Amino acid sequence: MRIVLFGPPGAGKGTQAEKLTAYGLPHIATGDIFRAAVTEGTSLGREAKKYMDSGELVPDEIVEGIVFERLSMPDAASGFILDGFPRSVHQAEALDGFLEERGVRLDIVLNFVVEAETILKRLTGRRTCSVCGIIYNIHSNLPPNNTCKCGGELIERDDDKEETVLKRIEVYWRETEPLISYYRSRGLLADIDGSLEPEDVFGEVEKTLKLRLKEF
Ligand code: AMP
């Protein structure tokens, strides 16, 4: 199965992707790839950080190169969960071209629908474990002593500060939201209510995949 998780920042794509990995598909998250490169201090990381810190998109040619290299690895040959890609029409067209050359296509694009107010609250309250990457929120599920269940320290992502979050939402509306009609017109889009609790959202995701995909 070739699944794209789509939606504004804070829609819950990462949380749902982690749950979906139980089905044995690799989770390919462009944001995670860039954050790892920043931590490692590679030239990619230094380049990406300039855009990430300001809430802008990393240029298409950089992102596409990285994603297609990752999608060419053997574990992604029969399926994948893409999280945070594509984020522009150029990226979506490039992805279609990449898959077409391999004689395959996307199966579904899950569109997580969440109100702007909820997004702002979620992102500015988000805390991520610096060790295992689990996502918490100060408004709903902050663990005791502000420490992850694995013992790791919880940190706020640099780009989850309110000013950057507002910029990321603006960029979403300008660059990424147009992909909704792109995928809807191709019959690939399935809307999911992303405002529910994570477990309930996952119930919706599984129900939708069962209804729409024979092989699920
Ligand atoms: P995310 O963790 O998906 O919210 O991504 C964090 C940041 O990484 C974004 O705000 C962008 O700066 C960058 N990024 C992630 N995915 C993409 C993409 N597909 N295209 C361009 N920039 C991206």
Side-chain angles (χ1 to χ4, degrees):
M1 280 172 297
R2 296 176 181 83
I3 304 173
V4 166
L5 303 187
F6 186 86
K13 301 185 294 292
T15 303
Q16 297 303 318
E18 279 309 322
K19 293 182 186 295
L20 272 173
T21 55
Y23 289 93
L25 297 168
H27 171 202
I28 302 173
T30 40
D32 288 350
I33 294 173
F34 290 136
R35 278 183 290 280
V38 170
T39 305
E40 285 162 25
T42 62
S43 59
L44 168 70
R46 280 192 296 279
E47 183 65 13
K49 193 172 180 346
K50 290 192 286 195
Y51 299 96
M52 294 166 82
D53 284 352
S54 60
E56 293 286 352
L57 293 185
V58 175
D60 288 334
E61 58 277 15
I62 299 180
V63 191
E64 289 164 15
I66 284 162
V67 170
F68 298 151
E69 197 181 333
R70 179 65 188 87
L71 289 180
S72 303
M73 291 183 184
D75 67 333
S78 54
F80 50 75
I81 305 159
L82 269 178
D83 161 11
F85 183 94
R87 254 174 156 108
S88 68
V89 172
H90 191 281
Q91 292 177 15
E93 287 174 347
L95 177 62
D96 282 348
F98 174 90
L99 296 175
E100 212 172 289
E101 274 173 23
R102 283 151 188 81
V104 294
R105 61 192 298 270
L106 288 176
D107 291 298
I108 196 163
V109 176
L110 297 174
N111 176 34
F112 295 94
V113 182
V114 187
E115 299 272 326
E117 204 181 307
T118 311
I119 293 170
L120 196 61
K121 193 169 166 196
R122 277 189 188 169
L123 291 183
T124 52
R126 178 159 70 179
R127 297 293 180 272
T128 310
C129 174
S130 55
V131 178
C132 71
I134 285 189
I135 300 164
Y136 295 91
N137 196 288
I138 57 170
H139 302 298
S140 49
N141 68 343
L142 198 64
N145 306 325
N146 224 343
T147 306
C148 179
K149 59 185 176 190
C150 80
E153 185 198 353
L154 300 189
I155 50 168
E156 182 177 18
R157 268 171 54 172
D158 284 344
D159 59 351
D160 280 347
K161 307 269 187 300
E162 184 159 346
E163 189 191 319
T164 318
V165 164
L166 291 172
K167 180 73 193 172
R168 288 164 63 203
I169 294 172
E170 180 206 315
V171 168
Y172 168 79
W173 281 102
R174 194 179 65 224
E175 305 283 344
T176 311
E177 200 271 348
L179 288 181
I180 291 183
S181 53
Y182 180 93
Y183 284 125
R184 206 184 291 284
S185 67
R186 286 161 176 74
L188 287 172
L189 203 78
D191 289 335
I192 302 279
D193 182 354
S195 66
L196 309 172
E197 289 302 312
E199 282 308 324
D200 298 327
V201 176
F202 192 57
E204 292 292 306
V205 166
E206 286 184 306
K207 205 166 77 187
T208 303
L209 293 175
K210 278 188 188 118
L211 270 174
R212 298 270 296 252
L213 306 182
K214 279 198 301 290
E215 71 270 38
F216 190 77

